[in-house]
Amino acid sequence: PDEQFEPDPKKKTLVVLGTGWGSVALLKKLDTSNYNVIVISPRNYFLFTPLLPSCTTGNIEHRSIMEPVRQILRHKKASVKFYEAEATKIDAENKVITITDNSEVQGATATTQVPYDMLVIGVGAENATFGIPGVREHSCFLKEIPDAQAIRTKIMDCVESAAFKDQPEDEVSRLLHMVVVGGGPTGVEFAGELRDFFDEDISKLIPEIAPKFKVTLIEALPNVLPMFSKQLIDYTEKTFKEEQIEIKTKAMVKKVTDKTVEAEVTGPDGKKEIITIPYGLLVWATGNAVRPVIKDLLSQIPAQKDSRRGLAVNEYLVVQGTRDIWAVGDCAVAGYAPTAQVASQEGGFLARLFNNMAKTEELETQIRELSTGLNLKPGNAAEVATQIESAERQLRRIKDVKPFHYSHQGSLAYIGSERAVADVSWFNGNVASGGKLTYLFWRSAYLSMCFSTRNRVLVALDWVKGKVYGRDVSRL
Ligand code: FAD
Ligand code: NAD
């Protein structure tokens, strides 16, 4: 029995899955006194993903962009329960979730069930590998903090092994060849950060290996950053050329081994050939795939039989074909790109919706009670009638909830050597810019978007520390 958390039997139980952009935006704005709120996530912190690529080189220390969820929940009006666990099964029919503690330390109970009245799913997505052989075994991903830590360690491991006594030249070249697959913003930002790390720190500390260091970005489409305007794509490609980051477009990786990548390249004449690229570090950034718990839920709902990319939701973010289940962020298909911007606006929308729903119920009860009072005490009928009218007016106003509408603020990406690209909406128009000024804009925008003042201070200090002392090249 859970003594710290006695659910109020008069309130509905609202279960929120995940502590990412969507769920945390919901929790931030939700009036938790209206529901028994339970949050379930294998990660007991919120992660500010836009600065994750900077953690791979130590330009930002990872704890600077993490905010403990317990710290977030501590400030809520009514207490919220948090369980560090993965939802392994959602039983939509019986309104029960099975949760499992998959962490290293487990108590006597590692799997249990949590019933819900209302459920918000914000579990995000996993890394897409398209079943390409060798990817899972040999690549690093870039989605979570442990991924960034693994990359940081591996970069230095490759560098130190390349600098090892009597290392043959071709092996030095292989170890210092850093290959990134996927020319979306994740791959581009990582390639830029990596080049900075090498140019600003590693090459100064170990100059003898400098000429062999190489970064290659492989992309299946004809260009990188497809979501940016043509002008910024060209600018990025030009900058990468200057930074000596090789971009291989129209190159589809088909196989990965422990030391090589095989890609099918389409030449200008349309001819295809297979090339083999030796690598020291391989970072796989080819976008999102659906998590197993979501695949399982999809299979339970006939209305979702054609959903391949996630849970299809309606304009109020209700999972189609279900009752009392909503979905936000990368696991939901609402017709928008899987970005933090979309996820956080969706979370904010649901908070307003749920606050409204609770207020509606409260007003309806009030009207019912006042109407009964009207019958009982005809003496103050005029006063009660005014109160009813005012409650009805409020009710009409809040009942009229507009569907979710996404407002795109723009796209921003760091591309290395203190340059960034930005497609920003500005007074109903679009402004595309790239360069050093955009980089300052990128820095101030992301600094202001950090979750808390504590995060902002830590990130700013990391930037100053990096400028003054350089990045820390210790291999952990
Ligand atoms: P997430 O933020 O991924 O959160 C999912 C949560 O669910 C996590 O807490 C996870 O632990 C939890 N979870 C996972 N499985 C389960 C389970 N079975 N049960 C319960 N909980 C579970 N977008 C932008 O708009 N701008 C950017 O600059 C930007 N930069 C990015 C940089 C990188 C390196 C990456 C990887 C992504 C970036 N994105 C950016 C995309 C953005 O991070 C995602 O779109 C966003 O995180 C989606 O939010 P979400 O809440 O759906 O999922
Ligand atoms: P993405 O889906 O945007 O890009 C993946 C790229 O990999 C695609 O261009 C695809 O053509 C390519 N690809 C797929 N399979 C391949 C193969 N076998 N060989 C070679 N190339 C292959 O993925 P992402 O960059 O991880 O981004 C995911 C989401 O997060 C997107 O919505 C993105 O907008 C968002 N995001 C935004 C930012 C930002 O705004 N700065 C940063 C990171 C991520």
Side-chain angles (χ1 to χ4, degrees):
D2 207 332
E3 281 162 16
Q4 301 158 28
F5 182 68
E6 279 302 326
D8 182 343
K10 291 196 291 299
K11 294 177 186 170
K12 285 184 174 164
T13 296
L14 167 63
V15 173
V16 179
L17 300 183
T19 46
W21 279 97
S23 302
V24 165
L26 159 70
L27 291 166
K28 240 165 106 178
K29 295 212 176 105
L30 182 74
D31 181 347
T32 53
S33 62
N34 295 324
Y35 303 96
N36 298 310
V37 184
I38 301 175
V39 180
I40 297 161
S41 175
R43 204 174 76 186
N44 78 346
Y45 56 89
F46 166 75
L47 169 63
F48 186 75
T49 47
L51 290 177
L52 189 62
S54 301
C55 294
T56 60
T57 62
N59 202 17
I60 287 179
E61 292 297 338
H62 58 271
R63 284 192 184 264
S64 306
I65 57 166
M66 294 159 63
E67 184 72 12
V69 68
R70 298 201 180 265
Q71 197 71 28
I72 301 171
L73 298 178
R74 196 169 69 105
H75 300 292
K76 297 309 295 183
K77 208 159 148 193
S79 77
V80 174
K81 193 79 202 160
F82 173 73
Y83 298 124
E84 193 194 72
E86 219 175 277
T88 43
K89 170 106 190 155
I90 298 166
D91 180 345
E93 177 87 32
N94 299 305
K95 294 190 147 187
V96 175
I97 303 161
T98 305
I99 65 167
T100 305
D101 176 0
N102 276 333
S103 64
E104 267 172 40
V105 178
Q106 287 154 359
T109 306
T111 294
T112 187
Q113 293 196 321
V114 179
Y116 66 85
D117 298 308
M118 295 157 73
L119 172 67
V120 176
I121 308 177
V123 299
E126 60 175 35
N127 295 295
T129 63
F130 309 103
I132 296 170
V135 176
R136 285 231 176 265
E137 299 88 306
H138 306 298
S139 344
C140 292
F141 296 105
L142 183 49
K143 202 163 189 50
E144 299 287 346
I145 290 288
D147 298 333
Q149 288 174 307
I151 293 175
R152 190 173 173 185
T153 301
K154 192 132 189 216
I155 296 170
M156 285 321 297
D157 209 355
C158 286
V159 166
E160 295 297 359
S161 297
F164 191 72
K165 185 171 180 297
D166 300 333
Q167 197 66 271
E169 251 189 55
D170 55 348
E171 195 59 356
V172 175
S173 301
R174 179 186 71 79
L175 287 164
L176 292 179
H177 191 195
M178 314 270 148
V179 173
V180 184
V181 182
T186 304
V188 165
E189 290 192 321
F190 171 67
E193 293 277 356
L194 186 55
R195 193 72 236 186
D196 286 356
F197 183 27
F198 194 79
D199 293 344
E200 291 165 17
D201 296 296
I202 300 176
S203 63
K204 288 186 188 136
L205 295 168
I206 324 170
E208 63 275 20
I209 59 165
K212 295 264 194 246
F213 188 80
K214 190 175 170 196
V215 180
T216 301
L217 180 68
I218 304 180
E219 167 56 53
L221 298 174
N223 57 264
V224 298
L225 293 182
M227 66 290 291
F228 281 83
S229 53
K230 170 87 176 68
Q231 172 197 348
L232 294 180
I233 292 172
D234 292 346
Y235 180 77
T236 305
E237 294 186 347
K238 187 177 126 259
T239 305
F240 270 21
K241 212 173 208 164
E242 285 166 23
E243 289 171 358
Q244 292 168 319
I245 296 172
E246 189 184 345
I247 301 182
K248 275 192 197 306
T249 49
K250 295 191 186 169
M252 168 85 85
V253 173
K254 297 268 175 166
K255 188 180 164 191
V256 170
T257 70
D258 59 343
K259 291 180 184 157
T260 61
V261 162
E262 277 178 29
E264 186 185 78
V265 185
T266 311
D269 53 359
K271 272 210 189 109
K272 292 186 191 315
E273 64 164 327
I274 297 282
I275 56 167
T276 302
I277 306 165
Y279 71 85
L281 168 78
L282 174 65
V283 171
W284 193 265
T286 63
N288 292 344
V290 179
R291 289 198 189 278
V293 67
I294 301 297
K295 274 191 198 152
D296 177 75
L297 178 59
L298 288 172
S299 71
Q300 295 171 42
I301 311 166
Q304 299 271 350
K305 71 176 192 325
D306 296 325
S307 303
R308 295 281 170 272
R309 286 179 302 119
L311 296 159
V313 293
N314 71 10
E315 70 274 31
Y316 289 92
L317 308 181
V318 175
V319 174
Q320 285 177 4
T322 70
R323 283 191 54 215
D324 304 321
I325 305 183
W326 290 259
V328 289
D330 288 1
C331 66
V333 180
Y336 308 106
T339 66
Q341 250 186 92
V342 170
S344 65
Q345 288 184 28
E346 289 177 340
F349 169 83
L350 279 194
R352 286 191 297 280
L353 186 75
F354 294 164
N355 292 346
N356 251 346
M357 279 160 61
K359 187 84 191 144
T360 305
E361 269 179 38
E362 191 190 306
L363 285 169
E364 279 171 353
T365 313
Q366 200 183 334
I367 292 168
R368 243 192 337 270
E369 281 171 6
L370 282 168
S371 308
T372 331
L374 189 67
N375 294 338
L376 289 177
K377 290 187 221 132
N380 50 357
E383 194 188 319
V384 173
T386 320
Q387 284 174 5
I388 292 177
E389 205 179 301
S390 145
E392 278 176 345
R393 224 177 307 121
Q394 274 193 59
L395 190 62
R396 268 196 303 278
R397 205 180 54 234
I398 63 167
K399 255 193 161 171
D400 181 27
V401 184
K402 301 263 179 310
F404 174 70
H405 169 75
Y406 170 62
S407 143
H408 186 62
Q409 307 295 308
S411 307
L412 268 174
Y414 180 61
I415 58 170
S417 57
E418 302 195 341
R419 287 179 227 191
V421 286
D423 265 326
V424 188
S425 313
W426 202 275
F427 294 110
N428 293 334
N430 274 328
V431 178
S433 75
K436 304 235 175 210
L437 262 183
T438 315
Y439 163 70
L440 293 178
F441 173 67
W442 173 85
R443 273 204 161 179
S444 48
Y446 280 1
L447 200 59
S448 72
M449 279 188 259
C450 280
F451 187 84
S452 60
T453 310
R454 188 185 70 93
N455 284 156
R456 265 189 285 283
V457 170
L458 292 177
V459 166
L461 285 176
D462 286 342
W463 280 335
V464 173
K465 203 171 70 184
K467 257 291 173 261
V468 177
Y469 299 109
R471 297 168 183 80
D472 183 345
V473 297
S474 322
R475 180 178 75 83
L476 290 182

